[in-house]
Amino acid sequence: MNNYFVILAAGKSKRFHRKLAKQFYKYKNKEIIDHSVQKSLDSNLFKKILIVTNNINHLKNKKYPKIVSFIKGGKERSDSSLIALKYLRKYKPKNVFIHDAARPNFSIKLLKNLTKNLKTNKAVIPVIPSRDSIKYKIKSQIFNLDKKKSLLTQTPQAFRFKNLYKLAIKEKKKVSDEASFYLNQNLKIKFIKGENQNNKITYLDDTKMSKTYYGIGFDIHRLIKNKKLFLGGIKIPFHSGLKGHSDGDVILHAIIDAILGAIRRKDIGTHFPNTKKFINIRSPKMLKPIIENLYKSNFSINNLDINLICEKPKVSKYRNRIINSLSKLLKLDKDQINLKGKTVEKLGLIGKEKAIACEVIVSIFKND
Ligand code: ZN
């Protein structure tokens, strides 16, 4: 296991409008660079992990294990790579992997595959076919590159150390990656299948992901005679209705609380207190502003799961009508909503048909 892993992280990220260099920006709960550090550590394939950076002070504050070290980088990528090779020479590495910190999404499987192929090759490079058609320009003329013949090279790239070192010292031109040394000299490269998810993070937009939030809601109302029963926004024929300041629609109330919970906006009582203003209000009227606000703030509902807890009415009889009504009120497809009926074995107030309860869980995502 005489393998060394080099992470190039000296770039200034001109295209990444942030004060902090992009490799230190948070992505999937950790800094971009730390995805590469963690995976190279977890692979157990490397004797040393060397970070080449111009942000030494930033890295000093981290608590990396001993096998991770860092050195100051150069002006260009190829300068930094050469600095790393010169630094590593004293360790007499057999193999060296060169990786760009801006690619946090490679897998450990890829590292293993590179290692395996390096046994019989001097240079192993992961590539993927191009998904876009590529044009190239010579003077003012633009030519089409055959998409089927176009390959995109990725990192980590794996090399026999001695071989790469010799080529890197000799090369006078700046290169965009280490594979170029071999291509420029017409030397053999073993190309292996890269990974589609292993994209380079170039723009701030690349790091944006929708976040998911969950909210839970619960409600219970007493059943009383001479009141209409409303569930999920529709009138259901029944011997009693739900008592409350409003129409007592437990389903809509639990949905409102679940949504408010997911977006961390307190509860239904805060938005609709028991004041004169809201006396006998129909619950769809309470739901409407909550939903409008939700969608205006760039949230979307992923799905809702509802437990209606009652002895009667039978949920299966009204399920389709209730889901239809909810899909209109919430502006959702019907298959985003699930409604389950739950009886309580005739126990307690609910079992004696004196109350109906409802619980709801909602999953919401925020699109930035
Ligand atoms: Zn209620």
Side-chain angles (χ1 to χ4, degrees):
M1 197 198 70
N2 196 3
N3 303 323
Y4 287 71
F5 195 75
V6 173
I7 301 173
L8 299 176
K12 278 205 207 69
S13 325
K14 277 180 224 138
R15 282 172 290 189
F16 210 74
H17 300 281
R18 288 253 155 181
K19 278 180 195 150
L20 193 67
K22 77 174 161 199
Q23 52 272 22
F24 307 114
Y25 187 65
K26 273 263 168 72
Y27 170 72
K28 293 186 186 170
N29 293 328
K30 52 180 145 197
E31 289 184 9
I32 290 175
I33 187 168
D34 286 336
H35 289 272
S36 298
V37 173
Q38 195 58 50
K39 274 183 266 194
S40 50
L41 281 170
D42 289 346
S43 72
N44 286 322
L45 286 168
F46 303 101
K47 253 191 185 167
K48 186 181 261 311
I49 292 148
L50 179 67
I51 302 170
V52 192
T53 179
N54 290 323
N55 296 74
I56 299 271
N57 283 336
H58 181 78
L59 291 184
K60 270 186 186 157
N61 297 325
K62 292 172 177 269
K63 288 190 180 78
Y64 286 136
K66 264 192 184 152
I67 71 160
V68 180
S69 50
F70 32 87
I71 52 167
K72 198 172 172 349
K75 221 172 150 196
E76 310 257 341
R77 185 193 185 281
S78 49
D79 302 323
S80 294
S81 153
L82 190 59
I83 289 169
L85 294 174
K86 283 179 176 169
Y87 175 87
L88 287 178
R89 201 171 167 223
K90 58 178 176 280
Y91 298 102
K92 297 190 169 60
K94 184 170 186 225
N95 302 319
V96 63
F97 288 52
I98 312 269
H99 180 58
D100 290 325
R103 291 186 190 269
N105 291 319
F106 66 93
S107 70
I108 292 178
K109 203 175 146 201
L110 179 67
L111 294 179
K112 287 185 177 158
N113 201 7
L114 287 161
T115 314
K116 198 180 92 193
N117 279 281
L118 206 50
K119 283 180 188 157
T120 47
N121 296 280
K122 285 180 179 155
V124 188
I125 312 294
V127 288
I128 55 166
S130 169
R131 277 180 279 195
D132 306 314
S133 44
I134 302 173
K135 311 269 185 288
Y136 64 100
K137 207 170 154 186
I138 298 179
K139 286 177 184 164
S140 60
Q141 240 188 317
I142 294 182
F143 300 89
N144 216 359
L145 207 62
D146 187 351
K147 193 164 142 183
K148 282 183 206 127
K149 289 181 188 163
S150 309
L151 295 171
L152 306 175
T153 54
Q154 300 185 323
T155 72
Q157 303 185 348
F159 307 92
R160 293 288 175 79
F161 181 85
K162 267 191 201 162
N163 194 248
L164 176 67
Y165 184 80
K166 233 191 321 180
L167 292 170
I169 292 282
K170 244 199 325 197
E171 182 78 47
K172 294 282 177 284
K173 279 184 283 176
K174 301 259 179 233
V175 290
S176 58
D177 65 353
E178 287 62 39
S180 308
F181 294 139
Y182 294 77
L183 292 173
N184 294 350
Q185 306 266 338
N186 238 335
L187 297 167
K188 196 194 156 206
I189 291 178
K190 168 75 177 176
F191 291 104
I192 64 164
K193 205 167 162 273
E195 296 175 321
N196 281 330
Q197 87 277 8
N198 186 16
N199 289 323
K200 194 169 188 167
I201 293 180
T202 310
Y203 301 99
L204 191 55
D205 274 357
D206 297 339
T207 64
K208 284 192 177 162
M209 291 189 307
S210 58
K211 277 190 183 153
T212 309
Y213 299 93
Y214 301 94
I216 187 167
F218 176 80
D219 196 25
I220 183 163
H221 283 259
R222 216 176 258 281
L223 280 163
I224 49 163
K225 298 277 175 202
N226 302 319
K227 209 178 168 194
K228 288 171 188 160
L229 176 64
F230 289 98
L231 287 174
I234 56 164
K235 204 169 85 187
I236 307 257
F238 200 51
H239 57 67
S240 308
L242 291 167
K243 188 186 170 196
H245 196 69
S246 64
D247 62 7
D249 191 326
V250 283
I251 296 183
L252 295 192
H253 295 180
I255 289 175
I256 291 171
D257 257 355
I259 292 171
L260 292 172
I263 60 171
R264 288 139 293 136
R265 290 288 179 275
K266 302 205 172 98
D267 54 28
I268 188 169
T270 312
H271 293 258
F272 302 98
N274 287 346
T275 55
K276 259 192 189 162
K277 190 181 166 195
F278 297 117
I279 202 153
N280 290 328
I281 187 176
R282 282 292 320 276
S283 298
K285 275 198 174 160
M286 301 160 80
L287 182 63
K288 204 173 172 224
I290 302 282
I291 284 290
E292 278 172 359
N293 250 316
L294 181 79
Y295 294 149
K296 254 191 246 159
S297 314
N298 226 357
F299 287 102
S300 326
I301 294 177
N302 192 32
N303 77 309
L304 274 168
D305 190 22
I306 305 160
N307 283 341
L308 186 65
I309 307 157
C310 59
E311 214 52 53
K312 267 180 195 158
K314 251 191 150 4
V315 170
S316 56
K317 203 170 159 189
Y318 300 102
R319 180 179 281 121
N320 288 342
R321 280 186 59 206
I322 292 174
I323 288 182
N324 264 332
S325 158
L326 292 177
S327 102
K328 273 184 207 135
L329 292 170
L330 299 161
K331 301 183 176 67
L332 294 178
D333 289 338
K334 283 184 251 174
D335 67 2
Q336 289 173 282
I337 306 163
N338 189 61
L339 172 63
K340 308 198 285 294
K342 191 91 201 138
T343 61
V344 291
E345 311 246 328
K346 301 202 161 40
L347 291 167
L349 275 181
I350 294 175
K352 291 182 181 70
E353 292 180 38
K354 293 217 158 90
I356 294 180
C358 182
E359 55 189 5
V360 169
I361 187 159
V362 65
S363 128
I364 286 180
F365 52 89
K366 169 116 193 181
N367 316 291
D368 281 304

